Amino acid sequence: MQQFVTSILFCLHHAKYLFILFLPAITLDFVQLYILMNFISSSISLEMSEIAMLEALTSIPPAFNQIQLLSNIIFVILTGSLSVAFRSIAGGELKTPHQALFSGAGKFISLLGAWLIFYLMIMGSLFLSLAILGSLGIIIWGFIFSYAIARFGMIPSFIMFKKANAIDALKLSFETTQDHASKLFILTIAFFLMQIVLTSIFFLIIGSNSLFLILALFVKYLTLASLFYVFFSLYEFKYINI
């Protein structure tokens, strides 16, 4: 698990650069979660029936959905920006966090296409798991999702550096990770478990409030950066001299 520790230390060492890169996404996520948290605390209670809860959820503020859409757009851009940022930090062409974001935005269509295909595959596996296994399907789907991330996590690097289109990036990522699938699968699960455990600990200690949201988002983006650094490192190892 050396890659697990190395990637986390790398991201912590360059936390200032990555924080600036993540700031738009963190801001949107915080506002989105803050709206949701306040809505739940004021409109939903454990004493409510399931029907009443569902009716209450339909009245969620429109701003939540609008911010969620914008947050998803930024996230897609960010996946490409991270590859550019990592190469810059590692000594490649110097890019500021803002320039890295603009580089990701320039490949938005290809990134969006690839992640949409990925999303459709993942949602299809979720519905199939639930249909066959019921509630147990959620656990099985968690492993399916982790494996899919392990096999397609190199999508951004191929789009940003090889100028691959969405379909080619999916194929190249799947082919390139073939010999490392087991290790990447274990690493992906380890990162997700780290996020779940740390977020749960923060919730138990300080409860549901603004400080919890900040800490949870810190863990989320540290996990995201560390995981994608693993995929970037594999890309560089395979293709740096090509």
Side-chain angles (χ1 to χ4, degrees):
M1 296 297 285
Q2 180 181 355
Q3 292 94 336
F4 180 80
V5 176
T6 300
S7 61
I8 293 175
L9 292 177
F10 175 88
C11 292
L12 288 174
H13 183 69
H14 299 285
K16 181 179 179 180
Y17 184 105
L18 293 174
F19 175 75
I20 297 173
L21 183 71
F22 289 145
L23 189 56
I26 291 174
T27 302
L28 288 171
D29 278 3
F30 179 83
V31 174
Q32 179 184 346
L33 291 173
Y34 187 79
I35 291 173
L36 182 61
M37 183 177 67
N38 286 340
F39 171 77
I40 291 175
S41 63
S42 62
S43 304
I44 297 178
S45 65
L46 295 177
E47 290 76 20
M48 297 173 65
S49 66
E50 292 184 6
I51 295 177
M53 285 186 181
L54 291 174
E55 290 178 350
L57 289 174
T58 60
S59 63
I60 193 168
F64 175 83
N65 294 323
Q66 295 166 1
I67 294 172
Q68 185 179 45
L69 175 61
L70 185 56
S71 178
N72 289 336
I73 292 172
I74 294 296
F75 180 83
V76 169
I77 293 172
L78 192 58
T79 59
S81 302
L82 271 173
S83 294
V84 176
F86 289 146
R87 177 168 284 185
S88 177
I89 292 172
E93 182 183 356
L94 291 178
K95 297 279 188 179
T96 66
H98 302 93
Q99 288 174 325
L101 279 173
F102 282 123
S103 296
K107 295 291 185 178
F108 175 72
I109 299 300
S110 294
L111 290 166
L112 178 62
W115 288 124
L116 277 177
I117 296 172
F118 177 85
Y119 175 79
L120 291 174
M121 290 190 298
I122 287 301
M123 293 309 296
S125 68
L126 174 59
F127 293 140
L128 187 61
S129 298
L130 291 174
I132 297 175
L133 301 170
S135 57
L136 180 62
I138 292 291
I139 299 175
I140 303 301
W141 178 78
F143 287 101
I144 295 174
F145 178 74
S146 298
Y147 183 77
I149 289 290
R151 299 306 303 272
F152 295 108
M154 292 180 69
I155 286 172
S157 293
F158 284 113
I159 289 176
M160 299 306 299
F161 302 139
K162 289 292 186 181
K163 297 179 172 48
N165 59 39
I167 300 298
D168 288 341
L170 286 158
K171 291 179 180 178
L172 287 167
S173 181
F174 193 81
E175 292 170 358
T176 305
T177 56
Q178 179 65 43
D179 295 334
H180 310 274
S182 297
K183 181 180 289 187
L184 291 172
F185 177 55
I186 294 172
L187 283 170
T188 302
I189 290 178
F191 280 118
F192 285 154
L193 285 176
M194 179 187 78
Q195 181 179 354
I196 292 170
V197 170
L198 289 178
T199 302
S200 299
I201 291 173
F202 291 146
F203 180 77
L204 292 173
I205 293 175
I206 63 179
S208 179
N209 52 41
S210 296
L211 178 59
F212 165 71
L213 294 182
I214 293 171
L215 292 174
L217 288 173
F218 170 79
V219 173
K220 172 186 174 179
Y221 284 98
L222 174 61
T223 302
L224 175 71
S226 301
L227 179 57
F228 274 90
Y229 181 70
V230 170
F231 296 123
F232 166 79
S233 298
L234 179 58
Y235 176 89
E236 293 290 275
F237 175 74
K238 293 276 188 178
Y239 295 97
I240 188 63
N241 296 318
I242 296 179

